[in-house]
Amino acid sequence: MTATNSEATLPSQGTEAPRSGRVDPKYLRSNPSKGAFEMWAWLFMRVSGAALVILIFVHLWTNLMVGDGIYQIDFAFVAGKWANPVWQFWDLTMLWLAMLHGANGMRTIINDYAEKDSTRLALKSILYLASTVIIILGTLVIFTFEPCLVDEAGNLLEYAPSFCETAVN
Amino acid sequence: MSTATVEQEPASKVDLAESGEGAGAIQEFTITLKVRRYDPERAEDAWWDEWQLTMYGTDRVLDALHKVKWEIDGTLSFRRSCAHGICGSDAMRINGRNRLACKTLLKDLDTSKPIVVEAIKGLPVEKDLIVDMEPFFQSYREIMPFLINNSPAPSAERLQSPEDRARFDDTTKCILCAACTSSCPVFWTDGQYFGPAAIVNAHRFIFDSRDDAGDMRLEVLNDKEGVWRCRTTFNCSEACPRGIEVTKAIQEVKTAIIARSL
């Protein structure tokens, strides 16, 4: 193979480097990436990682340590938290950051370990689909959550939080 | 020659034992050298060869390879040029670690077990310990490893303060042996990553106050196969026979790209 190789051309001079016709094509970077997606992805991992440490530990603290601790967690407890816009925002941020952080980490692992482009494409398709479904579903739940569920007769279910009684009556 | 006529010599800087063998007592031991061989003209697959050799405490892995090539099996192939840790020809995988054969003393390895020597990983093996270095140098060329200065050439040297010179001192030590790049698990995957050596050599010019093309090199390394594929596993820093803090240099280039973008 002595075909000339435009990838090996020195940009400043337009001349080919010696012996450059015989670089194994597997090593040639055929399409230089546009934009700086990888830079922002890298930066996002650092920033979201630091934010998640705070978000997750405060979440664990309020759920497991404050008040009755682990014994207080039931439908009513979750409903009570999501009645508060602060916790809605907190959980939404946590959901989005954790999902994007995790998905980007998985994307990186796929890039590092998958050797064939077809394997890469397949694995990434599954990853992106799963991540999108979970993010959308989670966001919907946080915003459309109905704490005061009633039975067919219109009576509150027994595990509904206490504030529902005033709302229904 | 009678001792009476010998002039008094100046005191030696080396203490030789009065009795016994003195400097002649160089440790002697038997080693097993196990080399991964490959020759597409002889066999499709690679195979392992083992040799029992009597070596000395002053010998390096390169000396063992020489002994095999010169005295036992002339078909064993490997690169070496200066044999003193400067030319960067004989990087190889010795007992699972990338090192220069000419800088690795046999007595520092575990001689009770076979000493396992393989070609460096991630580059196409051509024969035995010789790999095709072209992909490695291809990445090196792409970061433009030469001074680019737009101002007219001065009549004397381009001056630089000692502090400015110290800024990139560490990365000037690179001998392009490929021990770092071929120890990088990201490079092993598909060989698309620029690799630590190219980034180290870009760092050498990016942080040189006399060079004007730092932005161009940062742009080259801002590629999806550039610095962002570094996972900071520190394999490169451990492998470098020149002791360059490779991972640190890569992180500095990352910081420079971000600082330039924000």
Short mmCIF file of all heavy atoms in Angstrom, two decimals, chain B residues 50-87:
data_model
loop_
_atom_site.label_atom_id
_atom_site.label_comp_id
_atom_site.label_asym_id
_atom_site.label_seq_id
_atom_site.Cartn_x
_atom_site.Cartn_y
_atom_site.Cartn_z
N GLU B 50 11.95 -19.71 25.77
CA GLU B 50 12.63 -19.55 27.06
C GLU B 50 14.09 -19.93 26.93
O GLU B 50 14.43 -20.90 26.24
CB GLU B 50 11.98 -20.46 28.12
CG GLU B 50 10.72 -19.88 28.69
CD GLU B 50 10.23 -20.68 29.89
OE1 GLU B 50 11.06 -21.25 30.62
OE2 GLU B 50 9.02 -20.74 30.08
N TRP B 51 14.93 -19.18 27.58
CA TRP B 51 16.36 -19.49 27.60
C TRP B 51 16.89 -19.38 29.02
O TRP B 51 16.50 -18.45 29.75
CB TRP B 51 17.15 -18.51 26.71
CG TRP B 51 16.78 -18.56 25.27
CD1 TRP B 51 17.20 -19.48 24.34
CD2 TRP B 51 15.91 -17.65 24.56
NE1 TRP B 51 16.66 -19.20 23.11
CE2 TRP B 51 15.87 -18.09 23.21
CE3 TRP B 51 15.21 -16.54 24.92
CZ2 TRP B 51 15.13 -17.44 22.23
CZ3 TRP B 51 14.45 -15.89 23.96
CH2 TRP B 51 14.41 -16.34 22.63
N GLN B 52 17.79 -20.32 29.38
CA GLN B 52 18.49 -20.24 30.67
C GLN B 52 19.82 -19.52 30.39
O GLN B 52 20.56 -19.93 29.51
CB GLN B 52 18.80 -21.65 31.20
CG GLN B 52 17.59 -22.52 31.41
CD GLN B 52 16.93 -22.26 32.75
OE1 GLN B 52 17.57 -21.78 33.67
NE2 GLN B 52 15.64 -22.54 32.83
N LEU B 53 20.09 -18.47 31.14
CA LEU B 53 21.30 -17.69 30.89
C LEU B 53 22.03 -17.44 32.20
O LEU B 53 21.41 -17.28 33.24
CB LEU B 53 20.96 -16.33 30.27
CG LEU B 53 20.11 -16.32 28.99
CD1 LEU B 53 19.60 -14.91 28.74
CD2 LEU B 53 20.91 -16.83 27.81
N THR B 54 23.36 -17.44 32.11
CA THR B 54 24.16 -17.04 33.27
C THR B 54 24.49 -15.56 33.11
O THR B 54 25.14 -15.17 32.14
CB THR B 54 25.44 -17.87 33.35
OG1 THR B 54 25.07 -19.24 33.43
CG2 THR B 54 26.24 -17.50 34.59
N MET B 55 23.99 -14.76 34.03
CA MET B 55 24.19 -13.32 33.89
C MET B 55 24.86 -12.78 35.15
O MET B 55 25.03 -13.49 36.14
CB MET B 55 22.84 -12.61 33.67
CG MET B 55 22.04 -13.10 32.47
SD MET B 55 22.88 -12.98 30.86
CE MET B 55 23.08 -11.23 30.65
N TYR B 56 25.22 -11.50 35.10
CA TYR B 56 25.97 -10.90 36.21
C TYR B 56 25.18 -9.73 36.80
O TYR B 56 24.27 -9.18 36.17
CB TYR B 56 27.34 -10.43 35.72
CG TYR B 56 28.16 -11.59 35.20
CD1 TYR B 56 28.13 -11.92 33.85
CD2 TYR B 56 28.90 -12.37 36.08
CE1 TYR B 56 28.84 -13.02 33.38
CE2 TYR B 56 29.61 -13.47 35.61
CZ TYR B 56 29.58 -13.78 34.26
OH TYR B 56 30.26 -14.86 33.80
N GLY B 57 25.56 -9.35 38.00
CA GLY B 57 24.85 -8.29 38.72
C GLY B 57 24.86 -6.96 38.01
O GLY B 57 24.03 -6.10 38.27
N THR B 58 25.80 -6.77 37.08
CA THR B 58 25.87 -5.50 36.36
C THR B 58 25.08 -5.54 35.06
O THR B 58 25.05 -4.55 34.33
CB THR B 58 27.35 -5.19 36.01
OG1 THR B 58 27.93 -6.37 35.46
CG2 THR B 58 28.11 -4.75 37.24
N ASP B 59 24.47 -6.70 34.75
CA ASP B 59 23.79 -6.84 33.46
C ASP B 59 22.37 -6.30 33.49
O ASP B 59 21.69 -6.35 34.51
CB ASP B 59 23.74 -8.31 33.04
CG ASP B 59 25.09 -8.77 32.51
OD1 ASP B 59 25.85 -7.91 32.05
OD2 ASP B 59 25.36 -9.98 32.58
N ARG B 60 21.93 -5.82 32.34
CA ARG B 60 20.56 -5.33 32.19
C ARG B 60 19.77 -6.33 31.33
O ARG B 60 20.35 -7.24 30.76
CB ARG B 60 20.58 -3.96 31.50
CG ARG B 60 21.46 -2.95 32.21
CD ARG B 60 22.02 -1.94 31.25
NE ARG B 60 22.85 -2.55 30.20
CZ ARG B 60 23.23 -1.93 29.10
NH1 ARG B 60 22.87 -0.69 28.89
NH2 ARG B 60 23.97 -2.54 28.21
N VAL B 61 18.49 -6.12 31.22
CA VAL B 61 17.67 -7.00 30.39
C VAL B 61 18.19 -6.97 28.95
O VAL B 61 18.24 -7.99 28.27
CB VAL B 61 16.18 -6.57 30.44
CG1 VAL B 61 15.36 -7.38 29.46
CG2 VAL B 61 15.64 -6.75 31.85
N LEU B 62 18.65 -5.79 28.52
CA LEU B 62 19.19 -5.67 27.16
C LEU B 62 20.39 -6.59 26.97
O LEU B 62 20.55 -7.19 25.90
CB LEU B 62 19.57 -4.21 26.87
CG LEU B 62 20.09 -3.95 25.46
CD1 LEU B 62 19.02 -4.19 24.42
CD2 LEU B 62 20.62 -2.52 25.34
N ASP B 63 21.24 -6.73 28.02
CA ASP B 63 22.40 -7.62 27.91
C ASP B 63 21.96 -9.06 27.74
O ASP B 63 22.58 -9.83 27.00
CB ASP B 63 23.29 -7.47 29.15
CG ASP B 63 23.88 -6.07 29.24
OD1 ASP B 63 24.49 -5.64 28.27
OD2 ASP B 63 23.68 -5.42 30.28
N ALA B 64 20.87 -9.43 28.45
CA ALA B 64 20.35 -10.80 28.31
C ALA B 64 19.84 -11.02 26.88
O ALA B 64 20.09 -12.06 26.28
CB ALA B 64 19.24 -11.03 29.33
N LEU B 65 19.15 -10.03 26.34
CA LEU B 65 18.65 -10.14 24.96
C LEU B 65 19.82 -10.24 23.98
O LEU B 65 19.80 -11.03 23.03
CB LEU B 65 17.78 -8.94 24.61
CG LEU B 65 16.42 -8.85 25.32
CD1 LEU B 65 15.78 -7.49 25.08
CD2 LEU B 65 15.48 -9.96 24.86
N HIS B 66 20.87 -9.44 24.21
CA HIS B 66 22.07 -9.50 23.37
C HIS B 66 22.70 -10.88 23.42
O HIS B 66 23.10 -11.43 22.40
CB HIS B 66 23.09 -8.47 23.86
CG HIS B 66 22.87 -7.11 23.28
ND1 HIS B 66 23.28 -5.97 23.92
CD2 HIS B 66 22.25 -6.71 22.15
CE1 HIS B 66 22.95 -4.92 23.18
NE2 HIS B 66 22.32 -5.34 22.10
N LYS B 67 22.78 -11.43 24.63
CA LYS B 67 23.40 -12.74 24.80
C LYS B 67 22.66 -13.78 23.97
O LYS B 67 23.28 -14.60 23.29
CB LYS B 67 23.40 -13.13 26.28
CG LYS B 67 24.43 -14.19 26.64
CD LYS B 67 24.39 -14.45 28.14
CE LYS B 67 25.32 -15.58 28.54
NZ LYS B 67 26.72 -15.16 28.71
N VAL B 68 21.31 -13.71 24.00
CA VAL B 68 20.52 -14.65 23.21
C VAL B 68 20.78 -14.42 21.73
O VAL B 68 21.07 -15.34 20.97
CB VAL B 68 19.02 -14.50 23.53
CG1 VAL B 68 18.19 -15.31 22.55
CG2 VAL B 68 18.74 -14.94 24.95
N LYS B 69 20.69 -13.16 21.31
CA LYS B 69 20.80 -12.87 19.88
C LYS B 69 22.18 -13.20 19.33
O LYS B 69 22.31 -13.71 18.22
CB LYS B 69 20.46 -11.40 19.62
CG LYS B 69 20.55 -11.04 18.13
CD LYS B 69 19.71 -9.85 17.77
CE LYS B 69 19.78 -9.55 16.29
NZ LYS B 69 18.88 -10.39 15.48
N TRP B 70 23.22 -12.90 20.11
CA TRP B 70 24.59 -13.07 19.61
C TRP B 70 25.12 -14.49 19.78
O TRP B 70 26.00 -14.92 19.05
CB TRP B 70 25.53 -12.08 20.32
CG TRP B 70 25.23 -10.65 19.99
CD1 TRP B 70 24.54 -10.19 18.91
CD2 TRP B 70 25.62 -9.51 20.75
NE1 TRP B 70 24.47 -8.81 18.94
CE2 TRP B 70 25.12 -8.36 20.05
CE3 TRP B 70 26.34 -9.30 21.93
CZ2 TRP B 70 25.32 -7.07 20.52
CZ3 TRP B 70 26.53 -8.01 22.39
CH2 TRP B 70 26.02 -6.89 21.68
N GLU B 71 24.59 -15.22 20.80
CA GLU B 71 25.19 -16.51 21.10
C GLU B 71 24.25 -17.70 20.91
O GLU B 71 24.69 -18.82 20.77
CB GLU B 71 25.73 -16.53 22.54
CG GLU B 71 26.85 -15.50 22.75
CD GLU B 71 27.24 -15.37 24.21
OE1 GLU B 71 26.94 -16.29 24.99
OE2 GLU B 71 27.82 -14.32 24.56
N ILE B 72 22.93 -17.45 20.98
CA ILE B 72 22.02 -18.61 20.95
C ILE B 72 21.09 -18.61 19.73
O ILE B 72 21.07 -19.54 18.95
CB ILE B 72 21.16 -18.67 22.24
CG1 ILE B 72 22.09 -18.67 23.47
CG2 ILE B 72 20.27 -19.92 22.23
CD1 ILE B 72 21.38 -18.51 24.78
N ASP B 73 20.31 -17.54 19.59
CA ASP B 73 19.30 -17.51 18.52
C ASP B 73 19.33 -16.16 17.83
O ASP B 73 18.79 -15.18 18.33
CB ASP B 73 17.91 -17.79 19.13
CG ASP B 73 16.82 -17.83 18.06
OD1 ASP B 73 17.12 -17.51 16.89
OD2 ASP B 73 15.68 -18.16 18.40
N GLY B 74 19.97 -16.14 16.67
CA GLY B 74 20.14 -14.88 15.94
C GLY B 74 18.85 -14.32 15.35
O GLY B 74 18.83 -13.18 14.88
N THR B 75 17.80 -15.14 15.37
CA THR B 75 16.56 -14.64 14.78
C THR B 75 15.78 -13.74 15.74
O THR B 75 14.82 -13.10 15.33
CB THR B 75 15.63 -15.80 14.36
OG1 THR B 75 15.24 -16.51 15.54
CG2 THR B 75 16.33 -16.75 13.41
N LEU B 76 16.14 -13.71 17.00
CA LEU B 76 15.45 -12.83 17.96
C LEU B 76 15.65 -11.38 17.53
O LEU B 76 16.77 -10.94 17.30
CB LEU B 76 16.01 -13.05 19.37
CG LEU B 76 15.41 -12.15 20.46
CD1 LEU B 76 13.95 -12.49 20.68
CD2 LEU B 76 16.20 -12.25 21.74
N SER B 77 14.53 -10.65 17.41
CA SER B 77 14.62 -9.27 16.90
C SER B 77 14.12 -8.28 17.92
O SER B 77 13.08 -8.48 18.53
CB SER B 77 13.81 -9.12 15.62
OG SER B 77 14.26 -10.04 14.66
N PHE B 78 14.87 -7.23 18.10
CA PHE B 78 14.45 -6.12 18.96
C PHE B 78 15.17 -4.87 18.52
O PHE B 78 16.19 -4.95 17.83
CB PHE B 78 14.74 -6.43 20.44
CG PHE B 78 16.16 -6.83 20.73
CD1 PHE B 78 17.12 -5.88 21.03
CD2 PHE B 78 16.54 -8.17 20.66
CE1 PHE B 78 18.43 -6.25 21.30
CE2 PHE B 78 17.86 -8.55 20.91
CZ PHE B 78 18.80 -7.59 21.23
N ARG B 79 14.62 -3.70 18.92
CA ARG B 79 15.28 -2.44 18.57
C ARG B 79 16.16 -2.00 19.73
O ARG B 79 15.75 -2.10 20.89
CB ARG B 79 14.24 -1.35 18.33
CG ARG B 79 13.56 -1.39 16.99
CD ARG B 79 12.91 -0.03 16.71
NE ARG B 79 12.12 -0.10 15.49
CZ ARG B 79 10.80 -0.24 15.49
NH1 ARG B 79 10.14 -0.30 16.63
NH2 ARG B 79 10.14 -0.31 14.35
N ARG B 80 17.32 -1.51 19.43
CA ARG B 80 18.09 -0.79 20.41
C ARG B 80 19.10 0.03 19.63
O ARG B 80 19.52 -0.34 18.53
CB ARG B 80 18.76 -1.71 21.42
CG ARG B 80 19.93 -2.50 20.88
CD ARG B 80 21.21 -1.83 21.32
NE ARG B 80 22.38 -2.63 21.00
CZ ARG B 80 22.95 -2.67 19.82
NH1 ARG B 80 22.42 -1.98 18.80
NH2 ARG B 80 24.05 -3.37 19.60
N SER B 81 19.42 1.20 20.16
CA SER B 81 20.39 2.00 19.43
C SER B 81 21.50 2.42 20.36
O SER B 81 22.59 1.89 20.32
CB SER B 81 19.68 3.19 18.80
OG SER B 81 20.52 3.81 17.89
N CYS B 82 21.24 3.36 21.26
CA CYS B 82 22.32 3.84 22.11
C CYS B 82 22.61 2.90 23.26
O CYS B 82 23.70 2.84 23.78
CB CYS B 82 22.03 5.24 22.63
SG CYS B 82 20.88 5.29 24.00
N ALA B 83 21.58 2.17 23.70
CA ALA B 83 21.70 1.23 24.82
C ALA B 83 22.00 1.92 26.15
O ALA B 83 22.45 1.28 27.09
CB ALA B 83 22.73 0.14 24.53
N HIS B 84 21.75 3.19 26.24
CA HIS B 84 22.01 3.90 27.50
C HIS B 84 20.88 4.84 27.90
O HIS B 84 21.12 5.90 28.47
CB HIS B 84 23.34 4.64 27.43
CG HIS B 84 24.51 3.72 27.42
ND1 HIS B 84 24.94 3.09 26.27
CD2 HIS B 84 25.30 3.25 28.41
CE1 HIS B 84 25.96 2.30 26.56
NE2 HIS B 84 26.19 2.38 27.85
N GLY B 85 19.65 4.48 27.54
CA GLY B 85 18.50 5.22 28.05
C GLY B 85 18.27 6.59 27.45
O GLY B 85 17.59 7.42 28.04
N ILE B 86 18.83 6.87 26.29
CA ILE B 86 18.66 8.19 25.69
C ILE B 86 17.88 8.13 24.37
O ILE B 86 17.05 8.97 24.08
CB ILE B 86 20.04 8.86 25.44
CG1 ILE B 86 20.72 9.15 26.78
CG2 ILE B 86 19.89 10.15 24.65
CD1 ILE B 86 19.97 10.10 27.69
N CYS B 87 18.12 7.09 23.57
CA CYS B 87 17.51 7.09 22.23
C CYS B 87 16.04 6.66 22.25
O CYS B 87 15.28 6.99 21.35
CB CYS B 87 18.30 6.19 21.29
SG CYS B 87 18.11 4.44 21.66
#
